[in-house]
């Protein structure tokens, strides 16, 4: 199984600040962007209508399935779904010629959907793969274009970091860029599409991407009029010199993260000194792992809070989540679990032990150097005495 297929099994979509996990099956990058486009458009339409069923469905996690039936039975299916208390969302009809319609539901509701199937003829449960495969290519392309058209130009920091990563690694898989930078598919995809559309990069059918310029040329391009036309002047250092008082909104965010750490046995609360932050984008920060000279992790800003006059980061590590540890150049180093990462580098007890071990090691090195120096001095003194003795004969 390719790395792209592995990454496509569970993908993350961010919409209006909400991160959504989705389990998918196809290995094709077109499938990933197609299904994401469908959900993005559904979420936008739902927001305009003041509803929340799609967002609730996607945020529920796990496996989502599709119930397919004849379009003439749509009203009946909706009525029965409401009676059975099923959370569902009507999927866009991307194949109007087949006379069928589909709704999206969580796999936990499958037994109740089967009860509906007994009352609705010519209906069946399918997967998102089936829904995508059955769509008319033209309709799916319209959906993708609509999603990409509304997404606009990506944020400058994300664009710059992603482009530099691609420039340093010609032919890198898009899934690897996403993983290394801890970005979601709907964050990285608009960037590479924008780069392709403006002649900066080429996207391969195998899910790879290659810049049409090297790192030095790209950095020169960021000073060009074209770059300024895209992004204009960006305000940097928002926190530097800012009012150190904590707003009510920020205080609530700190309380939320502290409560999550205290009440949720699946996470470990950690604190990170601001000095450990080596890189920052609009939505993520890259921090050095304590007592590791060339190991770093990316954390999403939505999962952290700044405390102590913005000198300290408060965050949580999910115990069962796998974290991508990278080096200074964002190249993969290892993939420990959150629990392993916590025990190795963030647990206060272990950190104190490591600190003491390193201090003892430095102490032994100083003592060894002092001993070597003293031995050298004694040897030199003995040599001088010997020479003086010979000179007196």
């Amino acid at each position: 199984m390719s790395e792209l297929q592995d990454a496509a099994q569970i993908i993350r979509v961010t919409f209006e600040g909400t991160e959504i996990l989705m389990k998918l099956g196809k290995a094709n990058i077109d499938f990933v962007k197609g299904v994401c486009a469908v959900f993005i458009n559904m979420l936008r339409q739902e927001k305009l209508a003041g509803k929340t069923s799609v967002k609730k469905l996607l945020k529920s996690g796990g496996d989502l399935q599709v119930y397919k039936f004849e379009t003439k039975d749509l009203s009946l299916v909706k009525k029965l779904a409401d009676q059975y208390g099923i959370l569902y969302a009507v999927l866009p009809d991307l194949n109007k010629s087949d006379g069928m319609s589909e709704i999206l539901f969580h796999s936990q509701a499958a037994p109740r959907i089967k009860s509906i199937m007994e009352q609705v003829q010519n209906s069946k449960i399918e997967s998102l793969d089936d829904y995508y495969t059955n769509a008319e290519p033209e309709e799916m392309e319209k959906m993708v274009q609509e999603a990409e058209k509304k997404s606009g130009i990506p944020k400058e920091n994300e664009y710059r970091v992603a482009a530099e990563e691609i420039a340093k690694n010609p032919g890198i898989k898009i899934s690897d860029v996403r993983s290394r930078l801890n970005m979601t598919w709907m964050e990285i995809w608009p960037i590479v599409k924008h780069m392709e559309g403006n002649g900066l990069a080429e996207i391969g059918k195998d899910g790879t991407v290659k810049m049409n310029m090297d790192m030095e040329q790209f950095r020169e391009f960021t000073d060009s009029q074209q770059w300024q036309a895209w992004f204009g002047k960006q305000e940097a250092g928002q926190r530097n010199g800012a009012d150190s008082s904590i707003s009510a909104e920020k205080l609530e965010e700190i309380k939320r993260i502290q409560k999550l750490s205290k009440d949720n046995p699946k996470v470990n609360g950690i604190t990170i000194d601001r000095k450990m932050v080596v890189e920052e984008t609009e939505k993520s920060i890259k921090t050095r792992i304590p007592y590791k000279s060339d190991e770093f992790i990316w954390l999403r800003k939505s999962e952290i809070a700044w405390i102590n006059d913005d000198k300290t980061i408060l965050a949580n590590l999910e115990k069962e989540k796998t974290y991508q540890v990278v080096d200074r150049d964002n190249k993969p180093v290892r993939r420990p679990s959150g629990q392993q990462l916590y025990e190795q580098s963030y647990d206060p007890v272990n950190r104190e032990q490591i600190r003491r071990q390193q201090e003892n090691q430095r102490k032994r090195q100083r003592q060894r150097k002092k001993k070597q120096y003293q031995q050298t001095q004694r040897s030199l003194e003995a040599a001088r005495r010997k020479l003086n003795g010979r000179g007196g004969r």
Side-chain angles (χ1 to χ4, degrees):
M1 182 180 291
S2 69
E3 293 176 346
L4 179 60
Q5 187 170 353
D6 288 335
Q9 297 302 310
I10 299 178
I11 69 172
R12 295 180 299 168
V13 175
T14 298
F15 179 78
E16 297 294 331
T18 299
E19 188 172 81
I20 300 159
L21 297 181
M22 293 183 294
K23 181 180 178 182
L24 306 176
K26 290 284 186 181
N28 193 305
I29 188 71
D30 290 332
F31 171 76
V32 175
K33 69 174 183 178
V35 173
C36 286
V38 168
F39 290 146
I40 289 295
N41 282 285
M42 290 175 68
L43 285 163
R44 284 176 176 148
Q45 292 175 6
E46 183 179 71
K47 184 179 180 181
L48 291 175
K51 299 179 180 179
T52 59
S53 59
V54 178
K55 182 179 287 188
K56 288 179 180 178
L57 260 178
L58 300 181
K59 288 187 68 176
S60 64
D63 191 16
L64 298 177
Q65 293 181 284
V66 175
Y67 177 45
K68 187 174 184 178
F69 49 87
E70 293 183 2
T71 302
K72 65 181 181 63
D73 293 322
L74 177 59
S75 297
L76 174 60
V77 169
K78 292 168 69 174
K79 179 180 178 180
L80 291 173
D82 291 338
Q83 288 180 357
Y84 282 97
I86 298 173
L87 180 63
Y88 69 93
V90 179
L91 286 162
D93 189 356
L94 299 181
N95 188 342
K96 297 180 173 61
S97 63
D98 65 356
M100 306 295 286
S101 293
E102 297 91 0
I103 64 170
L104 186 71
F105 70 95
H106 196 279
S107 58
Q108 292 178 345
R112 286 172 284 168
I113 289 290
K114 290 179 180 178
S115 298
I116 294 177
M117 289 173 60
E118 295 176 357
Q119 306 174 59
V120 178
Q121 296 182 348
N122 195 24
S123 64
K124 59 181 177 179
I125 295 176
E126 293 187 338
S127 65
L128 281 168
D129 300 2
D130 297 320
Y131 172 73
Y132 174 82
T133 302
N134 184 61
E136 292 287 351
E138 296 81 5
E139 293 296 322
M140 182 59 73
E141 183 61 26
K142 288 180 183 178
M143 187 70 63
V144 172
Q145 290 177 356
E146 183 69 14
E148 291 177 347
K149 181 178 66 176
K150 290 183 178 180
S151 61
I153 295 179
K155 296 292 184 180
E156 182 183 15
N157 285 346
E158 273 78 5
Y159 200 109
R160 185 191 299 270
V161 171
E164 289 180 351
E165 185 68 22
I166 295 168
K168 287 186 295 185
N169 301 278
I172 188 174
K173 289 183 176 293
I174 300 173
S175 59
D176 288 344
V177 180
R178 182 197 67 81
S179 177
R180 292 182 188 185
L181 302 182
N182 194 26
M183 300 175 78
T184 69
W185 273 106
M186 293 311 292
E187 288 170 344
I188 190 63
W189 186 250
I191 293 175
V192 295
K193 285 297 292 182
H194 185 273
M195 291 169 63
E196 181 188 47
N198 288 276
L200 298 183
E202 297 177 1
I203 300 174
K205 293 183 179 179
D206 57 351
T208 58
V209 60
K210 182 179 180 180
M211 288 281 284
N212 292 328
M213 58 180 69
D214 58 27
M215 177 68 77
E216 184 177 351
Q217 290 172 326
F218 172 71
R219 286 175 176 167
E220 291 178 356
F221 177 73
T222 59
D223 293 327
S224 68
Q225 292 182 350
Q226 181 62 64
W227 184 271
Q228 293 297 322
W230 286 346
F231 301 108
K233 294 182 178 180
Q234 300 294 312
E235 294 184 7
Q238 290 282 335
R239 286 190 294 272
N240 294 336
D243 186 357
S244 62
S245 62
I246 301 179
S247 66
E249 182 179 356
K250 184 172 182 179
L251 187 60
E252 286 300 314
E253 180 67 10
I254 294 173
K255 289 180 179 179
R256 181 186 70 80
I257 294 178
Q258 289 176 329
K259 188 175 187 301
L260 178 63
S261 176
K262 180 179 179 181
D263 298 345
N264 189 350
K266 294 184 178 181
V267 303
N268 285 315
I270 63 171
T271 56
I272 303 171
D273 192 286
R274 182 188 178 89
K275 296 177 181 178
M276 305 295 276
V277 178
V278 298
E279 195 169 344
E280 185 173 352
T281 67
E282 184 73 19
K283 297 181 181 178
S284 301
I285 59 169
K286 181 181 179 181
T287 69
R288 183 171 66 81
I289 297 175
Y291 305 106
K292 302 290 183 180
S293 60
D294 195 31
E295 291 192 359
F296 307 82
I297 57 172
W298 283 90
L299 296 174
R300 299 187 63 77
K301 290 183 178 178
S302 60
E303 300 169 352
I304 68 172
W306 288 90
I307 59 175
N308 189 25
D309 290 337
D310 290 342
K311 297 176 182 177
T312 307
I313 296 172
L314 182 64
N316 290 317
L317 291 177
E318 297 179 35
K319 296 180 180 180
E320 298 180 1
K321 177 180 176 180
T322 299
Y323 288 81
Q324 178 67 70
V325 176
V326 299
D327 65 11
R328 194 170 298 276
D329 295 325
N330 289 318
K331 294 181 179 178
V333 176
R334 56 192 177 97
R335 291 176 61 82
S337 67
Q339 181 63 21
Q340 292 172 330
L341 198 56
Y342 176 77
E343 292 175 352
Q344 294 166 0
S345 303
Y346 294 98
D347 184 350
V349 176
N350 288 346
R351 286 177 67 173
E352 179 61 20
Q353 291 177 346
I354 294 173
R355 187 193 66 78
R356 289 179 180 178
Q357 289 173 357
Q358 291 184 346
E359 180 60 32
N360 290 334
Q361 185 178 5
R362 286 192 291 268
K363 185 177 180 181
R364 287 193 296 268
Q365 289 175 345
R366 289 195 297 268
Q367 290 174 343
R368 187 163 53 250
K369 289 180 179 179
K370 182 179 180 180
K371 187 176 180 180
Q372 290 174 346
Y373 174 77
Q374 291 173 343
Q375 289 176 343
T376 301
Q377 291 297 105
R378 285 195 294 267
S379 297
L380 290 172
E381 181 63 25
R384 281 195 296 269
R385 288 176 181 175
K386 189 173 181 179
L387 289 171
N388 291 335
R390 287 178 181 176
R393 291 178 183 174

